[in-house]
Amino acid sequence: MASSISVKDISEMGAVKVPSKFILNATELATIVPHNYFSDEQVPVIDLAGLDDNSQGEATMAAIANACENWGFFQVETCFGTQHNTTPTNGYGRQFRKAKNRTDDWHDLFFQVQHPLTAKALENLPTTPAAYRDTMEKYADGVLKLMHQILEIFSTLLGLQLKYLEERFGNPIINTRTNFYPPCPQRHLVLGLAAHSDPNSMTVLFQDDTGGLQVKKGNHWVGVAPVPNALVINVLSNGRSQSVEHRVVTNTSTACLSLATFFHPNMDAILGPAAELVDASRPACYPLMKYGDYRAAFHAKGSGSKTLGKLVAT
């Protein structure tokens, strides 16, 4: 059940201490890295325009493959309205409650279905700010085009037909979660979003210039430096790329806003090893599975589980 008071409200009350339900255990506290600490080792930033240049196309594809194999994340430079803006969507936050006896995350959220159109529930969308619906429509259209482009890139990298993944996934489910991370008086004691890995095929994230996203590389956490007009891509394809753990840390002075758009195969899509990639030397590692069953199993085990098979064996 949603809390009667939002995290934004707690922050604006001027509290100097956070409620105990947000405080991490000693093991988690030992891993906290400040939101504005960025090591020399960074998630790759890739300009997809290189794919249209005969002299850069091969190098761009190699860079994407390398980023996915070594990071599971990369950033892409875009031009469809991702200018950084730290203005929160006031009044539409919802506190995200995790499993019983788990620490709460220091953020509010608003969840919106983008596709299919029949599931959008337009009557439930905010009417203020006045530009919300139009802005989100344009943003969602741009992200959807990007997602289809990335599916084609991955089909190509796997040596499959250009539309293989798009056709295998069927009519997708796409939704967006707006995350609002208010300033926290004790940022060293909480997480804006706990460490987790995503079960869906692809996540496209816009983070404002405050930052806070961190991804796990080996045994340490790496801050993802915000890049103007860039989107962060988290992809999943067994063996070649991985579903990497990531989280969000907070800070004491500045609110942070992000938009996470999730691409899911159709719930009835049957996913598993691509027949073209299975032979005597590379046998199938995972059985065929309906995506809806995969999702149900993932959530039953919890978002931290690493035991479930990935979506497409490579």
Side-chain angles (χ1 to χ4, degrees):
M1 178 180 295
S3 172
S4 59
I5 184 171
S6 69
V7 177
K8 176 175 176 290
D9 290 336
I10 296 174
S11 177
E12 291 181 346
M13 288 176 183
V16 295
K17 292 185 177 182
V18 300
S20 60
K21 66 180 180 179
F22 295 101
I23 297 177
L24 304 171
N25 61 43
T27 300
E28 293 173 312
L29 287 174
T31 72
I32 296 299
V33 179
H35 82 287
N36 56 356
Y37 173 76
F38 305 110
S39 66
D40 293 335
E41 188 177 35
Q42 270 295 303
V43 169
V45 180
I46 299 172
D47 185 357
L48 296 185
L51 296 173
D52 299 321
D53 186 331
N54 291 334
S55 66
Q56 299 182 40
E58 186 173 336
T60 302
M61 290 290 279
I64 294 171
N66 181 68
C68 293
E69 291 172 17
N70 291 288
W71 287 89
F73 278 82
F74 58 95
Q75 296 200 66
V76 297
E77 296 174 309
T78 69
C79 59
F80 57 87
T82 60
Q83 287 79 9
H84 290 165
N85 185 341
T86 57
T87 303
T89 52
N90 291 332
Y92 298 107
R94 294 291 184 273
Q95 184 174 347
F96 178 64
R97 286 286 193 170
K98 298 194 298 181
K100 188 177 181 180
N101 300 324
R102 296 281 297 276
T103 303
D104 282 6
D105 294 330
W106 187 264
H107 83 267
D108 297 315
L109 66 83
F110 181 77
F111 187 82
Q112 178 179 340
V113 176
Q114 303 290 356
H115 185 85
L117 297 179
T118 54
K120 291 194 73 166
L122 295 175
E123 68 277 7
N124 294 330
L125 297 183
T127 55
T128 57
Y132 176 85
R133 294 192 183 191
D134 183 58
T135 301
M136 284 299 294
E137 284 292 322
K138 291 178 180 177
Y139 177 76
D141 286 346
V143 169
L144 182 56
K145 291 176 183 176
L146 175 63
M147 286 177 160
H148 284 301
Q149 182 182 13
I150 291 174
L151 287 179
E152 292 182 352
I153 290 171
F154 266 83
S155 291
T156 302
L157 288 173
L158 294 171
L160 300 168
Q161 294 295 317
L162 187 67
K163 298 291 185 181
Y164 177 88
L165 290 175
E166 189 173 335
E167 293 172 357
R168 189 74 176 266
F169 290 163
N171 189 28
I173 298 170
I174 300 172
N175 42 55
T176 297
R177 191 176 71 194
T178 302
N179 304 295
F180 179 56
Y181 303 94
C184 180
Q186 295 177 298
R187 61 94 186 154
H188 58 290
L189 298 181
V190 309
L191 280 172
L193 184 62
H196 66 286
S197 55
D198 296 341
N200 49 292
S201 303
M202 184 192 322
T203 302
V204 174
L205 178 80
F206 160 75
Q207 63 168 343
D208 67 14
D209 52 12
T210 301
L213 174 67
Q214 297 179 345
V215 302
K216 198 167 189 180
K217 185 76 159 59
N219 294 318
H220 62 283
W221 290 95
V222 177
V224 180
V227 175
N229 298 327
L231 296 171
V232 183
I233 312 296
N234 176 206
V235 292
L236 170 59
S237 178
N238 175 59
R240 293 282 290 274
S241 60
Q242 52 190 311
S243 181
V244 174
E245 279 192 298
H246 48 286
R247 68 184 187 184
V248 177
V249 295
T250 65
N251 69 89
T252 58
S253 61
T254 308
C256 174
L257 184 70
S258 71
L259 300 175
T261 303
F262 305 98
F263 183 102
H264 301 269
N266 189 278
M267 290 297 173
D268 292 325
I270 304 297
L271 303 178
E276 297 88 335
L277 302 177
V278 175
D279 56 30
S281 63
R282 285 193 305 183
C285 296
Y286 305 105
L288 295 176
M289 179 180 289
K290 184 184 292 187
Y291 180 68
D293 294 338
Y294 169 86
R295 286 273 299 174
F298 179 91
H299 287 295
K301 287 179 176 291
S303 62
S305 173
K306 294 289 185 180
T307 60
L308 290 178
K310 305 300 191 293
L311 298 183
V312 179
T314 64

